[in-house]
Amino acid sequence: MAGQVTRAAATALLATVLAAGASGCTDDDNGAGSDAASRAASAASSLASQGSEAVASAAAKAGEALESIKGGVDAKDEVKLGEPGTDDDGRTTVTVTARNTAGDPKSFAVQVEFRDEDGNLIDMVVVTISDVAANSEGTGTARSTHKLAGSVKAEVGTALRY
C-alpha cells in the first residue's frame, strides 16, 4: 500500500493544514481565528474518518486556500447559501452570497461543507468572492469536487472577509 496515507496520519495532516490555514487568517479578531481553526480541525477529522481520497484532497485544497489569506476576519454571519442543485456534470452546486458591511470594498473566502442526509461531511470547497462593494452583496457558486450521491445539504464552515 505504498503511497497511501493511513487514516490516523490523514487525520493529523488534515487537522494541521486546516487549523494552520484558519488560524493564520486573523488580525485581532477577538478569538475568531481560534474558533475557525477549531471548526476546521473538526471538519478534517470528520473527513479523514471517512477514508475517502477525494474528500481528503478537497479538505487539503480548502486548507491551502484559507492559509493564503492574511488579515481576514470572521464573516460567517455575513454569508448565506442557496439550495443545493446539480450541474450538467452531475456535481452539486450552491449559490454563495456575501454581504459586505464594511465601509470599503472587501473580498470573502467561504468554506462550503457538503453533508449527506446523516450530517456526515462528504466534500468541502472554498469559494472566493472578490471586491464586493461597501454595503453591497456579491455572489459566487460553490461546486463539489466530485459527484455526490443522495440528498446533499450545504453549510458554511468558515467565512473570512479580507
Side-chain angles (χ1 to χ4, degrees):
M1 296 203 171
Q4 290 187 349
V5 180
T6 66
R7 184 176 293 174
T11 300
L13 174 65
L14 291 172
T16 300
V17 168
L18 289 174
S23 65
C25 299
T26 62
D27 184 24
D28 192 27
D29 60 0
N30 297 322
S34 60
D35 289 345
S38 176
R39 287 191 305 269
S42 175
S45 291
S46 176
L47 285 171
S49 70
Q50 293 182 22
S52 167
E53 288 181 34
V55 179
S57 175
K61 287 179 184 176
E64 289 171 9
L66 291 174
E67 184 177 337
S68 70
I69 298 169
K70 304 298 177 208
V73 296
D74 184 15
K76 192 170 181 176
D77 291 341
E78 299 171 17
V79 174
K80 302 223 180 307
L81 301 180
E83 288 297 317
T86 305
D87 68 11
D88 293 338
D89 294 330
R91 298 205 183 168
T92 302
T93 61
V94 64
T95 300
V96 180
T97 303
R99 175 132 184 92
N100 180 10
T101 59
D104 54 343
K106 297 289 182 181
S107 295
F108 292 79
V110 181
Q111 176 183 312
V112 177
E113 299 174 352
F114 294 102
R115 296 185 180 274
D116 65 17
E117 55 209 22
D118 295 326
N120 297 312
L121 189 60
I122 54 176
D123 200 4
M124 175 190 304
V125 296
V126 173
V127 175
T128 301
I129 303 171
S130 300
D131 301 319
V132 179
N135 300 307
S136 295
E137 291 183 344
T139 60
T141 301
R143 182 176 186 255
S144 65
T145 61
H146 57 283
K147 292 179 182 179
L148 305 177
S151 178
V152 178
K153 296 180 265 186
E155 298 177 358
V156 176
T158 299
L160 300 172
R161 182 183 71 210
Y162 58 99

